[in-house]
Amino acid sequence: MGFELDRTANRFLWPCALFALSAAACVEGAEGEGEGEHEHGQAALTATFAHLIGGAPIALGTDTPYTNAFGNQFGVTRHSYFVSNVTVTMADGSSVAAAEGHYVDHDTPDTMSYPLPGEVTAGALASVSFVMGLPPELNVSGAFPSAPESLMEWPDAMGGGYHFMKSEGKFVADSGDTESYATHSGALDGVDSSFPVTLDASALTVDEGASSLTIEMNIEEWYTHPTDWDFNSYFPGGIMMNADAQAILKGNGADVFSLGDVASL
């Protein structure tokens, strides 16, 4: 009788033991899967803008401490512009993009950072792209009804829309006098002078969490490559109605931008 009981017990105990081992294995497997899934977490990105001359951050003021490729001494008192369609593409092909225009003003800190919508999987980057200025579909008068963006309006008589850039300051003229300049770009008579920019970001990576990615504007490059710009040929006076000057700025823009570092926020 005792022998029969032992055999009966064993019939129930062995399956239970096997079930327990199987359940434990399932739990370990699930934990392993969870660890794999979180090996590359999500990253939120903010585009941060920096303005440089000769590799150093600019200092606004009425002095003329800088020299362009033509040999003009100049300084910067104001620097503002629009970028649009900012897109960060990762090495795995995923991306985050902001289709609207963003106003940047060196003298307004809040505009110097631009949080991008959505998230990407942390890891290696591929590229950063954007439009310098506003493409025709965004360059519509009245699209930015509030200051400071509204203060960038381009006169309707010249085509309407908005200035793409206002970079202003002082320069030493050939006469030796200090004169004012205003490098203002826009769509003169509706001729689009915005242009796309794509920067190689393959040497950069972003970690899980929040990170900033610095887009650098090297201001002296607006005045060279391929055309050296002589301030005396355009100022004092203005270039808003000068189609040749607008075309030169657009042509020189290819070398203006570079990428800085990625930093955790």
Side-chain angles (χ1 to χ4, degrees), residues 9-260:
N10 285 337
R11 282 204 305 270
F12 285 101
L13 290 172
W14 276 107
C16 289
L18 290 172
F19 176 78
L21 288 172
S22 177
C26 288
V27 170
E28 287 184 8
E31 289 177 350
E33 290 173 8
E35 290 172 3
E37 290 172 359
H38 292 89
E39 184 176 350
H40 297 290
Q42 296 298 291
L45 301 178
T46 294
T48 300
F49 299 90
H51 305 136
L52 313 177
I53 294 180
I58 65 168
L60 299 183
T62 56
D63 293 336
T64 56
Y66 309 118
T67 305
N68 69 2
F70 195 85
N72 302 139
Q73 291 177 257
F74 73 103
V76 183
T77 57
R78 174 184 179 175
H79 192 71
S80 56
Y81 55 97
F82 280 106
V83 294
S84 51
N85 299 337
V86 178
T87 303
V88 177
T89 302
M90 307 299 291
D92 65 5
S94 63
S95 63
V96 289
E100 72 274 10
H102 176 69
Y103 172 73
V104 183
D105 188 329
H106 185 83
D107 212 25
T108 307
D110 287 350
T111 69
M112 298 284 284
S113 295
Y114 185 28
L116 301 178
E119 295 181 330
V120 293
T121 301
L125 286 87
S127 65
V128 176
S129 61
F130 54 92
V131 172
M132 170 59 206
L134 299 169
E137 65 271 19
L138 296 178
N139 191 33
V140 179
S141 296
F144 300 96
S146 302
E149 292 90 341
S150 62
L151 302 179
M152 295 286 281
E153 287 183 344
W154 187 266
D156 287 339
M158 297 183 190
Y162 293 85
H163 285 76
F164 296 164
M165 180 174 70
K166 289 183 177 182
S167 189
E168 303 171 359
K170 302 289 185 179
F171 76 100
V172 179
D174 287 343
S175 65
D177 295 334
T178 299
E179 302 283 1
S180 296
Y181 72 88
T183 305
H184 288 190
S185 66
L188 176 60
D189 295 330
V191 177
D192 181 28
S193 60
S194 69
F195 56 89
V197 177
T198 300
L199 303 173
D200 180 11
S202 59
L204 302 174
T205 60
V206 293
D207 296 327
E208 181 178 353
S211 294
S212 66
L213 174 63
T214 301
I215 298 173
E216 301 170 334
M217 180 188 280
N218 303 283
I219 294 174
E220 76 276 16
E221 296 298 326
W222 286 111
Y223 304 118
T224 189
H225 302 152
T227 304
D228 289 344
W229 179 285
D230 179 9
F231 281 92
N232 295 278
S233 297
Y234 304 102
F235 310 111
I239 63 168
M240 290 175 61
M241 296 185 66
N242 187 327
D244 290 339
Q246 296 297 322
I248 289 171
L249 288 173
K250 181 177 180 178
N252 285 354
D255 297 325
V256 166
F257 293 95
S258 57
L259 287 178

